[in-house]
Amino acid sequence: IGRLEANRVYGGSGRLLGKLEADRLYGTDVYTDDCSICLAGVHAGVITYDGGTVTIEIRPGQDSYPGSTRNGAISNTWGTWPGSFIVVK
């Protein structure tokens, strides 16, 4: 459907970002399209909390988004949502 590269997405001040934005990350591998791209990049393991480059691919909505904890980033479970993205690299 589409691809977006976010050059030099800066994550902010270390692990504090994960605590502040944890409620803004929903899903594992496939995220709701209203999530923090930076935090999804950390969760997916392509950047650290110091920032980096994240490329996402826009996807259709899903019936469910399971939550998990990866790389110090917490994602939450969510139900049906109309739009999604995946972290490509």
Side-chain angles (χ1 to χ4, degrees), residues 29-31 54-59 84-89:
D29 299 324
V30 180
Y31 303 95
V54 176
T55 302
I56 65 168
E57 188 172 295
I58 306 301
R59 295 285 178 94
S84 304
F85 70 87
I86 62 169
V87 175
V88 179
K89 63 177 182 170

Side-chain angles (χ1 to χ4, degrees), residues 3-88:
R3 187 173 273 198
L4 169 72
E5 183 170 339
N7 290 314
R8 297 304 302 169
V9 176
Y10 291 96
S13 59
R15 295 194 178 277
L16 182 60
L17 175 74
K19 292 176 182 166
L20 291 176
E21 294 195 348
D23 63 335
R24 293 182 46 201
L25 187 62
Y26 302 98
T28 299
D29 299 324
V30 180
Y31 303 95
T32 60
D33 65 2
D34 65 336
C35 288
S36 163
I37 293 172
C38 181
L39 195 55
V42 172
H43 189 261
V46 299
I47 63 170
T48 67
Y49 281 103
D50 293 327
T53 300
V54 176
T55 302
I56 65 168
E57 188 172 295
I58 306 301
R59 295 285 178 94
Q62 305 286 309
D63 290 333
S64 65
Y65 297 83
S68 65
T69 300
R70 290 183 177 166
N71 305 307
I74 301 165
S75 71
N76 297 292
T77 298
W78 195 257
T80 302
W81 190 258
S84 304
F85 70 87
I86 62 169
V87 175
V88 179

